[in-house]
Amino acid sequence: AQSVTQPDIHITVSEGASLELRCNYSYGATPYLFWYVQSPGQGLQLLLKYFSGDTLVQGIKGFEAEFKRSQSSFNLRKPSVHWSDAAEYFCAVARNSGNTPLVFGKGTRLSVIA
Amino acid sequence: DAGVIQSPRHEVTEMGQEVTLRCKPISGHNSLFWYRQTMMRGLELLIYFNNNVPIDDSGMPEDRFSAKMPNASFSTLKIQPSEPRDSAVYFCASTRDTDTQYFGPGTRLTVL
């Protein structure tokens, strides 16, 4: 069965600092990987996804993620965090692209301080 | 595009009452998913449909939960009778073929 681990429950960074959110997955085959962001009281918005090809994927809002098969990881990064990035971030894996159920990690809450 | 539409956005009900949550997927999408989000369990799949047919309902917690998709533009999730432990945020998501899942804003359910 697939599973996703986000080791950090809560991270606080200063505005303008770099950010890395960790995600490890467990799945036997090539996974389909996603990062979603959830602002308070809102639904989930897709930041980026990896299906195949280049292991460094670019997303919206200046985010990127790198797929590392050897480490079973798909960490999310941003070089300079803005106050508006404060939200909950979820890593997810699916068996086959987007039309099969997503298995989510427990999420990482990001706080941004001045 | 209007996105995935869910109603109501908030629902407060008393234990034992029937609750119906509604979802309108994005036009043209052929897969629909119901997820539930709680503090304890995080985001978990309840059921999903492909071309209006239920494919996997193994996440539906009990017989008190049922879901239908009578046509491509509408789905319901019903809880009867509701219990306080059903309090959660319920999300609907839709996708077309192998594309990305797009989520609705969710319904926050509180069962007293």
Side-chain angles (χ1 to χ4, degrees):
Chain A
Q2 304 143 285
S3 66
V4 176
T5 301
Q6 293 181 249
D8 304 305
I9 296 174
H10 183 207
I11 285 181
T12 300
V13 299
S14 298
E15 191 169 17
S18 63
L19 170 71
E20 182 169 30
L21 303 182
R22 296 182 291 165
C23 172
N24 292 95
Y25 66 90
S26 172
Y27 183 54
T30 300
Y32 292 81
L33 295 160
F34 306 79
W35 274 100
Y36 283 85
V37 61
Q38 183 181 29
S39 297
Q42 301 298 311
L44 283 79
Q45 181 183 24
L46 180 73
L47 287 175
L48 48 77
K49 61 188 178 186
Y50 172 77
F51 285 5
S52 64
D54 193 346
T55 56
L56 184 64
V57 293
Q58 303 297 318
I60 62 171
K61 304 184 181 186
F63 286 92
E64 67 177 27
E66 186 171 13
F67 170 59
K68 293 185 177 180
R69 184 188 301 275
S70 61
Q71 299 177 19
S72 297
S73 69
F74 188 57
N75 294 348
L76 182 71
R77 300 193 294 250
K78 186 169 186 178
S80 178
V81 169
H82 187 262
W83 65 266
S84 61
D85 293 323
E88 187 107 21
Y89 291 80
F90 293 93
C91 182
V93 63
R95 288 196 305 271
N96 293 301
S97 65
N99 67 346
T100 53
L102 297 173
V103 175
F104 287 90
K106 290 295 178 68
T108 297
R109 183 161 63 92
L110 173 65
S111 297
V112 181
I113 58 176
Chain B
D1 198 325
V4 176
I5 298 172
Q6 291 188 248
S7 64
R9 292 292 310 275
H10 302 272
E11 177 80 35
V12 180
T13 191
E14 293 189 344
M15 184 174 63
Q17 296 299 304
E18 177 180 296
V19 174
T20 299
L21 311 182
R22 296 173 175 80
C23 175
K24 178 179 170 56
I26 293 173
S27 178
H29 284 192
N30 59 354
S31 294
L32 183 141
F33 303 78
W34 283 100
Y35 294 92
R36 179 171 67 175
Q37 184 178 35
T38 61
M39 290 292 292
M40 291 296 295
R41 299 174 65 89
L43 276 155
E44 53 184 354
L45 176 79
L46 297 176
I47 185 171
Y48 83 102
F49 297 83
N50 192 34
N51 294 321
N52 312 336
V53 176
I55 303 299
D56 182 356
D57 66 354
S58 60
M60 297 285 264
E62 302 171 26
D63 290 345
R64 299 184 296 107
F65 284 69
S66 62
K68 294 181 180 179
M69 191 164 187
N71 56 62
S73 59
F74 184 64
S75 177
T76 60
L77 178 67
K78 185 177 294 186
I79 308 173
Q80 166 62 20
S82 58
E83 296 182 3
R85 60 186 166 141
D86 302 330
S87 297
V89 181
Y90 291 80
F91 287 105
C92 176
S94 70
T95 186
R96 181 185 63 217
D97 297 325
T98 60
D99 205 342
T100 306
Q101 289 183 31
Y102 294 89
F103 282 76
T107 295
R108 181 174 295 278
L109 173 64
T110 302
V111 183
L112 304 174

Coordinates of all heavy atoms in Angstrom, one line a residue, chain A residues 34 36 38 41-44 46 49 51 90 95 97-102 104-106, chain B residues 9 31 33 35 37 40-43 45 48 91 95 97-101 103-105:
Chain A
F34 N 2.5 14.6 -6.0 CA 1.9 15.9 -6.0 C 2.2 16.7 -4.7 O 2.4 16.1 -3.7 CB 0.4 15.8 -6.1 CG -0.2 14.9 -7.2 CD1 -0.1 13.6 -7.1 CD2 -0.7 15.5 -8.3 CE1 -0.6 12.8 -8.1 CE2 -1.2 14.7 -9.4 CZ -1.1 13.3 -9.3
Y36 N 0.2 19.9 -2.8 CA -0.9 20.8 -2.7 C -0.7 21.8 -1.5 O -0.1 21.4 -0.5 CB -2.2 20.0 -2.4 CG -2.8 19.3 -3.6 CD1 -2.4 18.0 -4.0 CD2 -3.8 19.9 -4.4 CE1 -2.9 17.4 -5.1 CE2 -4.4 19.3 -5.5 CZ -3.9 18.0 -5.8 OH -4.5 17.3 -6.9
Q38 N -2.9 24.4 1.2 CA -4.3 24.7 1.7 C -4.2 25.9 2.6 O -3.5 25.8 3.7 CB -4.8 23.5 2.5 CG -6.2 23.7 3.0 CD -6.8 22.5 3.8 OE1 -6.0 21.8 4.4 NE2 -8.1 22.3 3.8
G41 N -9.3 27.6 5.9 CA -10.7 27.6 5.4 C -10.9 27.4 3.9 O -12.0 27.6 3.4
Q42 N -9.8 27.0 3.2 CA -9.9 26.9 1.8 C -9.7 25.4 1.4 O -9.3 24.6 2.2 CB -8.8 27.8 1.1 CG -8.9 29.2 1.5 CD -10.2 29.9 1.0 OE1 -10.6 29.7 -0.2 NE2 -10.9 30.6 1.9
G43 N -10.0 25.2 0.1 CA -9.7 23.9 -0.5 C -8.2 23.7 -0.8 O -7.4 24.6 -0.4
L44 N -7.9 22.7 -1.5 CA -6.5 22.4 -1.8 C -6.2 22.9 -3.2 O -7.0 22.6 -4.2 CB -6.2 20.9 -1.7 CG -6.0 20.3 -0.3 CD1 -7.4 20.1 0.4 CD2 -5.3 19.0 -0.4
L46 N -3.3 22.8 -6.3 CA -2.1 22.1 -6.7 C -1.0 23.1 -7.0 O -1.1 24.1 -7.6 CB -2.4 21.4 -8.1 CG -1.2 20.6 -8.6 CD1 -1.0 19.4 -7.8 CD2 -1.5 20.3 -10.1
K49 N 3.3 18.8 -9.8 CA 3.2 17.4 -9.9 C 4.3 16.8 -10.7 O 5.0 17.4 -11.5 CB 1.9 17.0 -10.6 CG 1.8 17.5 -12.0 CD 0.4 17.3 -12.6 CE 0.2 17.8 -14.0 NZ -1.1 17.8 -14.5
F51 N 5.1 13.3 -12.9 CA 4.6 12.0 -13.5 C 5.7 11.2 -14.0 O 5.8 10.0 -13.9 CB 3.5 12.3 -14.6 CG 2.2 12.7 -14.0 CD1 2.0 12.9 -12.7 CD2 1.1 12.9 -14.9 CE1 0.7 13.3 -12.2 CE2 -0.1 13.2 -14.4 CZ -0.3 13.4 -13.1
F90 N 0.6 19.8 1.6 CA 0.4 18.4 1.6 C 1.1 17.8 0.4 O 1.0 18.2 -0.7 CB -1.1 18.1 1.5 CG -1.9 18.5 2.7 CD1 -2.5 19.7 2.8 CD2 -2.0 17.6 3.8 CE1 -3.2 20.1 3.9 CE2 -2.8 18.0 4.9 CZ -3.4 19.2 5.0
R95 N -1.5 6.1 -7.5 CA -1.1 4.9 -8.3 C -0.8 5.2 -9.7 O 0.2 4.8 -10.3 CB -2.1 3.8 -8.2 CG -2.2 3.1 -6.8 CD -2.9 1.8 -7.0 NE -4.3 2.0 -7.6 CZ -5.4 2.2 -7.0 NH1 -5.3 2.4 -5.6 NH2 -6.5 2.3 -7.6
S97 N -1.4 8.5 -12.3 CA -1.7 9.9 -12.7 C -2.8 10.4 -11.8 O -2.8 10.2 -10.6 CB -2.1 9.9 -14.1 OG -3.3 9.2 -14.3
G98 N -3.7 11.2 -12.4 CA -4.6 12.0 -11.5 C -5.9 11.4 -11.3 O -6.7 11.9 -10.4
N99 N -6.3 10.4 -12.0 CA -7.7 9.9 -11.9 C -7.8 8.6 -11.0 O -8.7 7.9 -11.1 CB -8.3 9.7 -13.2 CG -7.7 8.5 -14.0 OD1 -6.6 8.1 -13.7 ND2 -8.3 8.1 -15.0
T100 N -6.8 8.5 -10.2 CA -6.9 7.4 -9.1 C -6.7 8.2 -7.8 O -6.2 9.3 -7.7 CB -5.8 6.4 -9.3 OG1 -4.5 7.0 -9.4 CG2 -6.1 5.5 -10.5
P101 N -7.2 7.5 -6.7 CA -7.2 8.3 -5.4 C -5.8 8.7 -5.0 O -4.8 8.0 -5.2 CB -7.8 7.2 -4.5 CG -8.6 6.3 -5.3 CD -7.9 6.2 -6.6
L102 N -5.8 9.8 -4.3 CA -4.6 10.4 -3.8 C -4.4 9.9 -2.3 O -5.4 9.8 -1.6 CB -4.6 11.9 -3.8 CG -4.6 12.6 -5.1 CD1 -4.8 14.1 -5.0 CD2 -3.4 12.3 -5.9
F104 N -2.5 11.0 1.0 CA -1.9 12.3 1.5 C -1.0 12.0 2.7 O -1.3 11.1 3.5 CB -2.9 13.3 1.9 CG -3.7 13.9 0.7 CD1 -4.8 13.3 0.2 CD2 -3.2 15.1 0.2 CE1 -5.5 13.9 -0.8 CE2 -3.9 15.7 -0.9 CZ -5.0 15.1 -1.4
G105 N 0.0 12.8 2.8 CA 0.8 12.9 4.1 C -0.1 13.8 5.0 O -1.1 14.3 4.7
K106 N 0.4 13.8 6.3 CA -0.4 14.5 7.3 C -0.2 16.1 7.2 O -0.9 16.8 7.9 CB 0.1 14.1 8.7 CG -0.3 12.6 9.0 CD -1.8 12.5 9.1 CE -2.2 11.0 9.3 NZ -1.9 10.6 10.7
Chain B
R9 N -21.4 25.1 2.5 CA -20.1 25.3 3.0 C -19.9 25.0 4.4 O -18.8 24.5 4.9 CB -19.6 26.8 2.7 CG -19.5 27.2 1.3 CD -18.3 26.5 0.6 NE -17.1 26.6 1.3 CZ -16.3 27.6 1.2 NH1 -16.5 28.6 0.4 NH2 -15.1 27.6 1.9
S31 N -14.1 11.9 -13.5 CA -13.8 11.2 -12.2 C -14.1 12.2 -11.1 O -13.8 13.3 -11.2 CB -12.4 10.7 -12.2 OG -12.1 9.7 -13.1
F33 N -14.1 12.4 -6.7 CA -13.6 11.9 -5.4 C -14.2 12.6 -4.3 O -14.4 13.8 -4.3 CB -12.1 12.0 -5.4 CG -11.4 11.5 -6.5 CD1 -11.3 12.1 -7.8 CD2 -10.7 10.2 -6.4 CE1 -10.6 11.6 -8.8 CE2 -10.0 9.7 -7.5 CZ -10.0 10.4 -8.7
Y35 N -13.3 13.1 -0.3 CA -12.3 13.0 0.8 C -12.8 13.6 2.1 O -13.6 14.5 2.1 CB -11.0 13.7 0.4 CG -10.2 13.2 -0.8 CD1 -10.5 13.7 -2.1 CD2 -9.2 12.2 -0.6 CE1 -9.7 13.2 -3.1 CE2 -8.5 11.7 -1.7 CZ -8.8 12.2 -3.0 OH -8.1 11.7 -4.0
Q37 N -11.4 15.3 5.8 CA -10.2 15.8 6.5 C -10.5 15.9 8.0 O -11.4 16.7 8.4 CB -9.7 17.1 5.9 CG -8.4 17.6 6.6 CD -8.0 18.9 5.9 OE1 -8.8 19.8 5.5 NE2 -6.7 19.1 5.8
M40 N -7.2 14.1 13.4 CA -6.6 12.8 13.8 C -6.1 12.0 12.6 O -5.0 11.4 12.6 CB -7.6 12.0 14.6 CG -8.0 12.6 15.9 SD -6.5 12.6 17.0 CE -6.2 10.8 17.2
R41 N -6.9 12.0 11.5 CA -6.6 11.1 10.4 C -6.1 11.8 9.2 O -5.7 11.1 8.2 CB -7.8 10.2 10.1 CG -8.3 9.4 11.3 CD -9.6 8.7 11.0 NE -9.5 7.7 9.9 CZ -9.1 6.4 10.0 NH1 -8.9 6.0 11.2 NH2 -9.0 5.6 9.0
G42 N -6.1 13.1 9.2 CA -5.7 13.8 8.0 C -6.7 13.7 6.9 O -7.9 13.6 7.1
L43 N -6.2 13.7 5.6 CA -7.0 13.6 4.4 C -7.1 12.2 4.0 O -6.1 11.6 3.8 CB -6.4 14.5 3.3 CG -6.8 15.9 3.3 CD1 -5.7 16.7 2.6 CD2 -8.1 16.2 2.6
L45 N -9.5 9.2 1.6 CA -10.5 9.0 0.5 C -11.6 8.3 1.1 O -11.5 7.3 1.9 CB -9.9 8.1 -0.6 CG -10.9 7.7 -1.7 CD1 -11.1 8.9 -2.6 CD2 -10.4 6.5 -2.4
Y48 N -14.7 7.0 -4.7 CA -14.6 7.7 -6.0 C -15.3 7.1 -7.1 O -15.6 5.9 -7.1 CB -13.1 8.0 -6.3 CG -12.3 6.9 -7.0 CD1 -12.1 6.9 -8.4 CD2 -11.8 5.9 -6.3 CE1 -11.3 5.9 -9.0 CE2 -11.0 4.9 -6.9 CZ -10.8 4.9 -8.3 OH -10.0 4.0 -8.9
F91 N -14.3 17.1 1.4 CA -13.9 17.7 0.1 C -14.3 16.8 -1.0 O -14.3 15.6 -1.0 CB -12.4 17.8 0.0 CG -11.8 18.9 0.9 CD1 -11.1 18.6 2.1 CD2 -11.9 20.2 0.5 CE1 -10.6 19.6 2.9 CE2 -11.4 21.3 1.3 CZ -10.7 20.9 2.5
T95 N -11.6 15.3 -11.8 CA -10.5 15.3 -12.8 C -11.0 14.7 -14.1 O -12.1 14.0 -14.1 CB -9.3 14.5 -12.3 OG1 -8.2 14.6 -13.2 CG2 -9.6 13.0 -12.1
D97 N -9.8 12.2 -17.1 CA -8.9 11.2 -17.5 C -7.7 11.2 -16.6 O -7.8 10.9 -15.4 CB -8.5 11.5 -19.0 CG -9.7 11.3 -19.9 OD1 -10.6 10.5 -19.6 OD2 -9.8 12.1 -20.9
T98 N -6.5 11.5 -17.1 CA -5.3 11.4 -16.3 C -4.8 12.7 -15.8 O -3.7 12.8 -15.3 CB -4.2 10.7 -17.1 OG1 -3.9 11.6 -18.3 CG2 -4.6 9.4 -17.6
D99 N -5.6 13.7 -15.8 CA -5.2 15.0 -15.4 C -5.2 15.1 -13.8 O -5.4 14.2 -13.1 CB -6.2 16.0 -16.0 CG -5.6 17.4 -16.1 OD1 -4.6 17.6 -15.5 OD2 -6.2 18.2 -16.9
T100 N -5.0 16.3 -13.4 CA -4.9 16.7 -12.0 C -6.2 16.7 -11.3 O -7.2 17.1 -11.9 CB -4.2 18.0 -11.9 OG1 -3.0 18.0 -12.6 CG2 -4.0 18.4 -10.4
Q101 N -6.3 16.4 -10.1 CA -7.5 16.5 -9.3 C -7.7 17.9 -8.8 O -6.7 18.5 -8.2 CB -7.5 15.5 -8.1 CG -7.7 14.1 -8.5 CD -7.7 13.2 -7.3 OE1 -8.2 13.5 -6.2 NE2 -7.2 11.9 -7.5
F103 N -9.8 20.4 -6.4 CA -10.6 20.3 -5.2 C -11.6 21.5 -5.0 O -11.3 22.6 -5.4 CB -9.7 20.3 -4.0 CG -9.0 19.0 -3.7 CD1 -8.0 18.6 -4.5 CD2 -9.5 18.1 -2.7 CE1 -7.4 17.4 -4.3 CE2 -8.9 16.9 -2.5 CZ -7.8 16.5 -3.3
G104 N -12.8 21.1 -4.5 CA -13.7 22.2 -4.1 C -13.3 22.8 -2.7 O -12.3 22.4 -2.1
P105 N -14.1 23.8 -2.3 CA -13.7 24.5 -1.1 C -14.0 23.7 0.2 O -13.6 24.1 1.3 CB -14.6 25.8 -1.1 CG -15.8 25.3 -1.9 CD -15.3 24.4 -3.0

